Amino acid sequence: MEEKRENKDLVLDIQDLDIRYETDDGVCRAVNGVSLQLERGKTVGLVGETGAGKTTIALGIMGLIPNPPGRVAGGSIRFFGEDLLKKSAHQMQQIRGKKISMIFQDPMTALNPIDTVGDQIREVILLHEKGLSRAEAARKACEVLEMVGIPAERYEEYPHQFSGGMKQRIVIAIALACNPELLIADEPTTALDVTIQAQVLDKLNELKQNLGTSMIMITHDLGIVAEMCDQVAIVYAGELVEFGSVVDVFDDPAHPYTVGLFGSLPSVAEDKPRLTPIPGLMPDPMNLPEGCSFAPRCSQACEACRKNQVFAERTPGHFVRCHLHAAKGEA
């Protein structure tokens, strides 16, 4: 993908990111040469199977890769031009929660069961907004609770007194307490029923518009991507196999894996007797095949696919990691 560092609206610029987990059994290649850009106020969706590396990319941005066994083996993660990988642990602590926040997948494990929800929000505010008294931070925590649709009167209640959807709203409130410029949402609606899921997504959209926050949405659900995202990155075996605007990727999916994802979805418009699953399984990240990682599952794979990879620009801004589209130019 072409460099955009001169763009003043560029919030995040990831280049050639490699993340490894080194164990006694071997080296797990979790993220392999990922490049990704995100502009101010935009949302990019990371889509792929479980184990594709989506959450590992997010943890790399947050500086939360567990070491050992994990380490960032190469690349750069620039946030407003500053490489986060060169920051000290103390500097990253000042950035997390203040400038970059993350909504974790399971609100049950993200919240402390022995502290009130108000105190957990107040703690974040006190950590990052120096000079505030505890009373002032508590008032701001009440405002944040109201912002996500929870009455301030529930400040003194504990996580077990809230429903699943309300817990997720509290996690969102903690993430947004200091008005971060980048919000990472790691499957924030996976554990919720459809009605509560819609409420949470509506609230995220509303808050993003009001605060001008950029967002990375990690999900398995292409419907959420269509509703929430401006761009979509399809992740497979630690690589971006397709990247482009939601309109480009949804209207003209190019990589065989992306086509397979859409083919496995039910449709009310078409009367299909059966869904079309993608055959096979994702390769072992400790033993990735040479060339294209998707080639063993791809019905269109050729000899070149098993030897090397190309990253082609199908149309302006729509990139595909596939030999089928290499003739249209390589990025």
Side-chain angles (χ1 to χ4, degrees):
M1 238 176 287
E2 43 183 66
E3 300 261 349
K4 297 182 182 178
R5 290 176 187 162
E6 71 281 358
N7 186 344
K8 294 181 180 179
D9 288 328
L10 194 61
V11 173
L12 186 70
D13 183 10
I14 301 173
Q15 294 292 327
D16 300 320
L17 181 64
D18 274 330
I19 299 177
R20 304 280 186 263
Y21 290 97
E22 298 173 349
T23 70
D24 293 339
D25 296 325
V27 177
C28 173
R29 296 163 57 193
V31 176
N32 304 296
V34 165
S35 295
L36 183 69
Q37 291 85 29
L38 177 62
E39 294 185 351
R40 190 188 304 273
K42 300 293 186 181
T43 298
V44 61
L46 298 186
V47 181
E49 294 173 79
T50 298
K54 307 183 298 298
T55 299
T56 302
I57 294 171
L59 293 177
I61 297 169
M62 296 289 290
L64 293 175
I65 298 294
N67 184 8
R71 69 180 182 90
V72 178
S76 63
I77 303 173
R78 294 184 180 274
F79 181 66
F80 287 108
E82 296 185 6
D83 193 346
L84 297 180
L85 298 180
K86 296 179 180 178
K87 301 287 185 182
S88 67
H90 177 72
Q91 288 173 321
M92 284 303 300
Q93 189 177 35
Q94 301 305 308
I95 291 172
R96 284 194 298 266
K98 173 66 175 175
K99 296 182 179 180
I100 306 175
S101 285
M102 186 165 177
I103 302 171
F104 293 93
Q105 183 171 348
D106 185 3
M108 296 293 289
T109 57
L111 295 173
N112 188 334
I114 63 172
D115 285 339
T116 67
V117 298
D119 283 348
Q120 293 184 57
I121 300 172
R122 183 180 65 177
E123 180 184 5
V124 176
I125 296 169
L126 286 172
L127 178 65
H128 293 292
E129 299 196 11
K130 307 301 182 184
L132 286 184
S133 68
R134 295 180 72 84
E136 290 170 331
R139 281 196 295 272
K140 184 166 183 181
C142 288
E143 293 173 3
V144 175
L145 277 175
E146 294 277 2
M147 182 175 68
V148 297
I150 296 176
E153 293 77 19
R154 303 195 69 177
Y155 179 102
E156 295 291 345
E157 295 184 16
Y158 292 85
H160 74 270
Q161 296 176 273
F162 293 84
S163 67
M166 297 285 261
K167 285 190 184 77
Q168 192 62 285
R169 289 185 185 210
I170 294 164
V171 173
I172 292 171
I174 293 172
L176 294 175
C178 296
N179 297 337
E181 292 167 287
L182 174 60
L183 179 64
I184 302 172
D186 187 2
E187 302 192 40
T189 60
T190 296
L192 307 178
D193 62 57
V194 175
T195 303
I196 302 301
Q197 180 184 93
Q199 293 175 4
V200 169
L201 292 177
D202 286 344
K203 181 59 64 176
L204 280 174
N205 258 333
E206 177 187 332
L207 296 172
K208 188 186 79 166
Q209 291 169 4
N210 291 342
L211 301 176
T213 305
S214 303
M215 188 185 303
I216 295 175
M217 174 67 70
I218 299 172
T219 182
H220 294 278
D221 192 333
L222 289 167
I224 290 177
V225 172
E227 179 180 348
M228 296 285 295
C229 300
D230 303 291
Q231 296 172 304
V232 57
I234 307 297
V235 186
Y236 184 81
E239 298 175 328
L240 296 192
V241 296
E242 186 160 359
F243 178 85
S245 70
V246 167
V247 173
D248 285 343
V249 175
F250 276 59
D251 287 353
D252 187 22
H255 194 279
Y257 178 61
T258 311
V259 174
L261 289 179
F262 282 103
S264 63
L265 293 175
S267 172
V268 295
E270 300 178 29
D271 184 16
K272 291 183 179 180
R274 296 180 66 91
L275 297 178
T276 308
I278 302 173
L281 298 172
M282 189 179 297
D284 182 355
M286 289 188 177
N287 187 29
L288 292 175
E290 187 178 351
C292 176
S293 296
F294 188 65
R297 303 174 68 182
C298 181
S299 61
Q300 302 178 70
C302 61
E303 192 60 32
C305 297
R306 296 179 175 87
K307 292 180 179 179
N308 54 60
Q309 298 188 53
V310 295
F311 203 36
E313 189 170 19
R314 182 176 176 82
T315 56
H318 185 184
F319 298 89
V320 188
R321 191 180 299 277
C322 185
H323 278 282
L324 294 174
H325 307 283
K328 297 190 177 184
E330 295 182 21

